[in-house]
């Protein structure tokens, strides 16, 4: 173990340099110290030097994580090697000084394509030029050149992102399959206060829809036949539009996007509605955009899609990903350690599902979701990103709806059917995420049922287990104190209750996270497919003559200016590449038996059945991906859906379900 006196010489020069430069130097020092305790001492010394006055407050170089939640030495070493974790701190503290022009756009699509061929030259600053490389070591092949691996989607079809059909398909088989929902009511109306946000009536009228739904005379018929679906970011985003529009280099709308279920089982985009509330003395503005062969409308449609994709990217990252997995799992982790002994059977069952999450969340708070972090720099809501995540928690999050079957039913994507597999009938039969996810859900539930039945043979043991009851009470009343009185919380009195609660937690930590994480680079690595930010308003929103003429003469330039800037795009691409990467020591669902599970022959046999079922599921998914009738996962240029395949090798593979949220 290194002593403070041995480390102090390493940081002697650091304390005289600006804090924005400090992160990169400390990261370099950390790279040279393999002993974990030595690294902690180094950070302690630096923190002391950065906080010379007891009343001053400075952002530290690390977030405290309890030792039993931190990465083990092997995991830490691997994480540094594969994700350049020490560089995350450098970029979070130095990004403004490293990058010269945050607004510089790509001049053409050829320039974007060059990211995968010739690479992107990283801007340099005197004395601090190499800091950006530390975050992108895995995709950089020189000190100045950033070259990206071509995403699998782009390899298969370089024009995949341009297709309306692919735009729709990705709502079912892409990186965010949690937002698409059935349209159940007509007309569409906002629930927001019309005195503040303007007319609640949607601009998408029956005339707009009925012109495009072949074979159906009315919208009501299409709704009755469950043919209309929607991405609805209207009411969540509209309250933030005025605030976001005060920020430089971004814009925002409330949005609705409607789709029609075709006879082929695929979705067809019908219309996009973008809404701006009354703002700066101007009345509410809303417009509907539809697919069109007319050139002006076609380019407006493309720009409207870019806005919706930015909304979907933000919702995916802030809600489907951060809020519903990383964030919501933390109360389970804390309560498990505080209320269950390490010998408790439920602690032993949950432990692999909760491993490393606090550490990865600390890193996320440090460089991704922090003030002026990567999310705030690169996504449309900018500094209001976490406020939107909080609003979504307040409006949408329910524990019971984190269970996959309940989530599907709630969104209208399935109905209960005791005679159907999984007890559900899907509204869209070819819904790859749901089809494969239900296989994993049932396998998890069967394994947990066997486990609970072994340790609680008498149902009364659950209600009388003080540790278990305290655990569930803390999750509800402390971890989610502001929601503790809602009636949707399950009670914990019977084995059925416990099995449902545990399956939900295990699902969120494993398969839910895998579904929204490991395809991020495949679908977001070519950023026009999923721009993280829309930086300019629609050309048709209160245009000046000059603005409209510029759009008419240079529509491609208008689209490129709406897309992320060079810096925003490349930083997000680098992060998505790293987050999509499996480390060689990944611990996959069902891949190994915990030592505690092997102590009982009954539990060991139950786990082996679980393991065998997961291997069967791999084969089922492969078979589905070969079925040409399943057009949402099979076809020319289409990426097969493999996110629910339990096992994977290392790297960016687009498959594999780790036990826990470890990246």
């Amino acid at each position: 173990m290194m002593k403070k006196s041995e480390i102090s010489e390493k940081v002697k020069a650091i304390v005289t340099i600006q804090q924005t430069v400090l992160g990169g130097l400390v990261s370099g020092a950390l790279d040279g110290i393999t002993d974990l305790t030595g690294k902690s001492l180094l950070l302690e010394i630096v923190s002391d030097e950065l906080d010379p006055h007891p009343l001053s407050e400075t952002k530290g170089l690390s977030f405290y994580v309890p030792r039993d939640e931190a990465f083990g030495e092997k995991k830490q070493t691997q994480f540094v090697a594969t994700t350049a974790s020490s560089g995350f701190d450098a970029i979070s503290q130095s990004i403004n000084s490293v990058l010269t022009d945050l607004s510089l756009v790509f001049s053409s699509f050829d320039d974007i394509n060059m990211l995968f061929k010739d690479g992107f030259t990283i801007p340099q600053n005197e004395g601090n030029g190499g800091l950006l490389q530390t975050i992108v070591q895995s995709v950089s092949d020189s000190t100045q050149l950033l070259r990206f691996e071509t995403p699998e989607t782009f390899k298969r079809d370089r024009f995949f992102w341009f297709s309306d059909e692919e735009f729709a398909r990705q709502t079912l088989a892409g990186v965010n399959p949690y937002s698409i929902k059935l349209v159940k009511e007509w007309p569409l109306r906002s629930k927001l206060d019309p005195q503040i946000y303007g007319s609640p009536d949607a601009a998408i009228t029956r005339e707009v829809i009925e012109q495009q739904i072949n074979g159906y005379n009315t919208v009501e018929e299409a709704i009755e036949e469950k043919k209309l679906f929607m991405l609805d970011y209207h009411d969540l985003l509209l309250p933030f539009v005025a605030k976001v529009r005060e920020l430089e280099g971004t814009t925002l709308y409330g949005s609705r996007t409607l789709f029609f279920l075709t006879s082929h089982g695929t979705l067809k985009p019908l219309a996009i509605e973008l809404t701006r509330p009354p703002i700066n003395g101007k009345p509410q503005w809303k417009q509907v955009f539809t697919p069109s062969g007319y050139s002006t409308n076609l380019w407006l449609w493309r720009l409207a899609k870019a806005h919706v994709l930015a909304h979907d990217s933000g919702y995916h990252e802030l809600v489907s990903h951060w809020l519903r997995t990383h964030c919501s799992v933390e109360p389970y982790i804390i309560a498990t350690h505080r209320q269950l002994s390490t010998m408790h059977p439920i602690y032993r069952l949950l432990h692999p599902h909760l491993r490393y999450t606090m550490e990865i969340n600390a890193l996320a708070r440090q460089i991704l979701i922090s003030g002026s972090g990567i999310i705030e720099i690169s996504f449309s809501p900018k500094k209001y990103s976490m406020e939107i995540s909080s609003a979504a928690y307040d409006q949408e999050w329910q524990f019971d709806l984190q269970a996959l079957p309940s989530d599907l039913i709630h969104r209208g994507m399935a109905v209960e059917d005791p005679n159907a597999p999984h007890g559900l009938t899907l509204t869209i039969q070819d819904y790859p995420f749901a089809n494969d996810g239900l296989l994993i859900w049932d396998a998890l539930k069967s394994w947990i049922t066997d486990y609970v039945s072994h340790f609680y043979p008498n149902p009364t043991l659950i209600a009388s287990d003080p540790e278990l009851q305290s655990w569930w009470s803390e999750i509800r009343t402390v971890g989610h104190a502001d929601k503790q009185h809602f009636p949707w919380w399950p009670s914990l009195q019977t084995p059925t209750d416990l099995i449902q609660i545990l399956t939900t937690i295990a699902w969120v930590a494993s398969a839910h996270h895998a579904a929204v994480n490991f395809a991020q680079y495949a679908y977001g690595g070519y950023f026009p497919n999923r721009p993280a930010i829309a930086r300019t308003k629609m050309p048709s929103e209160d245009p000046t003559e000059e603005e409209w003429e510029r759009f008419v003469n240079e529509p491609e330039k208008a689209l490129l200016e709406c897309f992320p800037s060079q810096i925003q795009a490349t930083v997000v691409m680098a992060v998505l590449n790293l987050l999509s990467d499996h480390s060689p020591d990944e611990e996959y669902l069902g891949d190994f038996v915990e030592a505690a599970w092997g102590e009982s022959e009954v539990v060991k046999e139950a786990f082996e059945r679980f393991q065998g079922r997961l291997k069967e599921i791999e084969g089922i998914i492969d078979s589905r991906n070969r079925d040409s009738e399943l057009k949402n996962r099979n076809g020319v240029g289409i990426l097969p859906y493999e996110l629910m395949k339990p096992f994977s090798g290392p790297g960016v593979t687009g498959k594999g379900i780790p036990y826990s949220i470890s990246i």
Side-chain angles (χ1 to χ4, degrees):
M1 182 179 74
M2 300 184 68
K3 299 178 181 178
K4 275 195 175 185
S5 59
E6 295 173 329
I7 299 175
S8 60
E9 288 300 316
K10 294 180 179 289
V11 296
K12 187 175 180 180
I14 293 177
V15 297
T16 62
I17 301 176
Q18 297 178 12
Q19 185 178 349
T20 56
V21 181
L22 180 61
L25 295 177
V26 172
S27 297
L30 287 175
D31 288 341
I33 301 173
T34 57
D35 178 74
L36 294 178
T37 306
K39 289 187 177 185
S40 298
L41 287 173
L42 173 58
L43 291 172
E44 181 182 341
I45 291 172
V46 174
S47 296
D48 291 344
E49 296 292 349
L50 284 176
D51 196 8
H53 193 282
L55 298 181
S56 67
E57 182 174 312
T58 305
K59 183 178 176 182
L61 294 171
S62 67
F63 284 69
Y64 170 74
V65 175
R67 187 65 193 92
D68 54 0
E69 288 302 317
F71 291 164
E73 186 168 356
K74 181 179 179 182
K75 180 72 174 177
Q76 175 70 20
T77 301
Q78 185 61 49
F79 185 81
V80 170
T82 58
T83 68
S85 60
S86 51
F88 279 140
D89 182 70
I91 197 168
S92 67
Q93 297 194 41
S94 311
I95 192 166
N96 288 330
S97 61
V98 173
L99 306 177
T100 55
D101 188 353
L102 288 172
S103 63
L104 186 64
V105 301
F106 289 94
S107 60
S108 70
F109 284 95
D110 286 339
D111 286 349
I112 297 173
N113 298 345
M114 285 298 182
L115 290 171
F116 311 110
K117 184 179 179 182
D118 292 347
F120 174 71
T121 301
I122 300 169
Q124 301 292 302
N125 256 12
E126 184 178 352
N128 200 27
L131 291 185
L132 184 56
Q133 282 87 350
T134 58
I135 188 180
V136 291
Q137 290 171 7
S138 65
V139 291
S140 178
D141 56 11
S142 76
T143 58
Q144 289 184 289
L145 194 63
L146 182 63
R147 181 179 287 111
F148 291 89
E149 178 68 24
T150 305
E152 184 63 28
T153 46
F154 192 74
K155 286 181 183 177
R156 289 171 177 260
D157 180 1
R158 63 182 301 184
F159 300 109
F160 80 105
W161 67 280
F162 222 48
S163 161
D164 287 346
E165 290 75 14
E166 179 65 9
F167 166 56
R169 190 191 72 84
Q170 287 180 29
T171 67
L172 302 172
V175 73
N176 184 32
Y178 273 99
S179 286
I180 190 73
K181 65 181 182 180
L182 180 70
V183 175
K184 301 177 183 178
E185 299 177 351
W186 191 267
L188 304 174
R189 287 177 60 86
S190 169
K191 294 181 174 62
L192 297 174
D193 185 349
Q195 297 298 316
I196 300 174
Y197 301 105
S199 171
D201 296 326
I204 300 178
T205 63
R206 68 169 57 252
E207 290 77 19
V208 170
I209 300 304
E210 289 174 358
Q211 288 176 6
Q212 301 183 72
I213 51 175
N214 299 330
Y216 291 84
N217 293 322
T218 67
V219 168
E220 286 79 9
E221 287 181 16
I223 291 175
E224 184 178 353
E225 294 291 322
K226 297 183 178 180
K227 295 292 185 179
L228 287 185
F229 296 82
M230 177 167 57
L231 291 179
D232 187 0
Y233 299 129
H234 185 278
D235 284 12
L236 178 64
L237 296 183
L238 200 63
F240 292 89
V241 169
K243 294 190 290 187
V244 168
R245 287 189 170 210
E246 293 176 355
L247 306 176
E248 186 178 353
T250 188
T251 193
L252 194 65
Y253 295 97
S255 69
R256 299 182 179 98
T257 307
L258 258 64
F259 303 88
F260 177 72
L261 181 62
T262 72
S263 58
H264 301 294
T266 59
L267 291 177
K268 169 189 174 183
L270 298 178
I272 291 172
E273 177 188 2
L274 299 178
T275 303
R276 180 203 69 198
I279 185 174
N280 297 329
K282 297 180 180 180
Q284 182 193 65
W285 177 91
K286 61 178 67 172
Q287 187 172 349
V288 176
F289 305 90
T290 59
S292 173
Y294 173 55
S295 60
T296 301
N297 291 343
L298 175 62
W299 276 102
L300 288 172
W301 169 253
R302 289 168 177 166
L303 281 155
K305 277 204 305 181
H307 282 274
V308 167
L309 288 165
H311 300 167
D312 192 63
S313 295
Y315 188 90
H316 160 256
E317 212 64 78
L318 297 171
V319 181
S320 302
H321 189 188
W322 165 254
L323 171 62
R324 292 184 63 179
T325 65
H326 287 262
C327 187
S328 68
V329 165
E330 283 192 0
Y332 314 150
I333 297 170
I334 295 169
T336 298
H337 282 288
R338 283 167 50 90
Q339 302 299 340
L340 300 179
S341 72
T342 58
M343 299 297 291
H344 196 284
I346 301 306
Y347 177 95
R348 289 179 160 186
L349 176 68
L350 286 177
H351 184 248
H353 292 292
L354 309 179
R355 199 156 33 208
Y356 304 138
T357 301
M358 295 291 279
E359 175 83 343
I360 203 67
N361 283 5
L363 290 166
R365 288 186 170 96
Q366 195 169 354
I367 55 90
L368 290 177
I369 64 172
S370 56
S372 298
I374 291 172
I375 294 294
E376 289 198 357
I377 289 171
S378 308
F379 283 73
S380 286
K382 289 204 166 181
K383 71 177 184 178
Y384 299 106
S385 292
M386 293 313 296
E387 190 175 340
I388 287 177
S389 183
S390 296
Y393 171 76
D394 178 58
Q395 297 171 26
E396 301 177 7
W397 192 89
Q398 295 183 201
F399 178 85
D400 60 328
L401 295 183
Q402 307 315 299
L404 177 60
S406 300
D407 169 75
L408 294 171
I409 292 169
H410 178 70
R411 289 189 284 122
M413 302 304 291
V415 294
E416 291 186 78
D417 183 353
N419 298 317
H422 319 293
L424 298 175
T425 294
L426 294 178
T427 311
I428 299 177
Q429 293 301 305
D430 182 14
Y431 184 2
F433 160 70
N435 282 302
D436 297 356
L438 286 167
L439 295 175
I440 300 295
W441 171 270
D442 282 356
L444 269 171
K445 190 170 185 178
S446 294
W447 149 240
I448 291 171
T449 298
D450 290 342
Y451 188 95
V452 169
S453 298
H454 175 70
F455 286 102
Y456 293 93
N458 185 338
T460 61
L461 294 174
I462 290 175
S464 61
D465 184 333
E467 288 186 44
L468 195 61
Q469 294 300 321
S470 296
W471 169 78
W472 184 235
S473 176
E474 175 165 327
I475 287 173
R476 291 181 293 108
T477 65
V478 180
H480 295 280
D482 53 343
K483 289 179 175 279
Q484 62 180 299
H485 299 300
F486 281 92
W488 39 255
W489 284 105
S491 61
L492 181 51
Q493 300 296 318
T494 69
T496 300
D497 297 334
L498 180 57
I499 290 164
Q500 183 70 7
I501 290 167
L502 293 175
T503 305
T504 299
I505 293 174
W507 163 264
V508 169
S510 58
H512 178 149
H513 179 258
V516 299
N517 185 75
F518 291 109
Q520 289 190 89
Y521 190 69
Y523 287 107
Y526 187 74
F527 71 85
N529 182 61
R530 288 188 66 78
I533 186 171
R535 302 188 314 121
T536 59
K537 68 179 180 67
M538 290 293 295
S540 54
E541 182 197 337
D542 302 332
T544 64
E545 288 186 15
E546 181 182 356
E547 288 173 338
W548 185 254
E549 184 177 356
R550 189 164 59 245
F551 164 63
V552 170
N553 292 333
E554 298 181 292
E556 182 176 317
K557 184 177 180 181
L559 184 58
L560 289 166
E561 289 176 347
C562 185
F563 281 159
S565 68
Q566 291 186 13
I567 293 305
Q568 290 168 330
T570 50
V571 168
V572 169
M573 288 166 67
V575 171
L576 297 185
N577 180 278
L578 297 174
L579 295 181
S580 300
D581 186 89
H582 286 296
S583 64
D585 65 340
E586 193 78 87
E587 298 170 350
Y588 296 103
L589 190 67
D591 197 22
F592 68 95
V593 61
E594 287 278 307
W597 302 342
E599 294 174 0
S600 164
E601 194 62 32
V602 173
V603 173
K604 183 180 178 182
E605 290 178 359
F607 177 80
E608 288 173 350
R609 288 194 296 273
F610 174 53
Q611 189 177 56
R613 178 55 179 162
L614 292 177
K615 292 177 180 177
E616 291 176 2
I617 289 172
E618 290 244 320
I620 293 171
I621 292 174
D622 286 338
S623 177
R624 288 173 172 176
N625 284 329
R626 291 192 297 267
D627 188 344
S628 60
E629 295 299 312
L630 301 178
K631 293 179 172 55
N632 290 317
R633 62 195 307 157
N634 178 286
V636 175
I638 288 178
L639 192 66
Y641 192 78
E642 297 186 311
L643 289 167
M644 292 293 95
K645 292 186 71 170
F647 311 112
S648 172
V652 181
T653 65
K655 58 185 175 183
I657 304 175
Y659 270 104
S660 65
I661 302 165
S662 59
I663 184 65

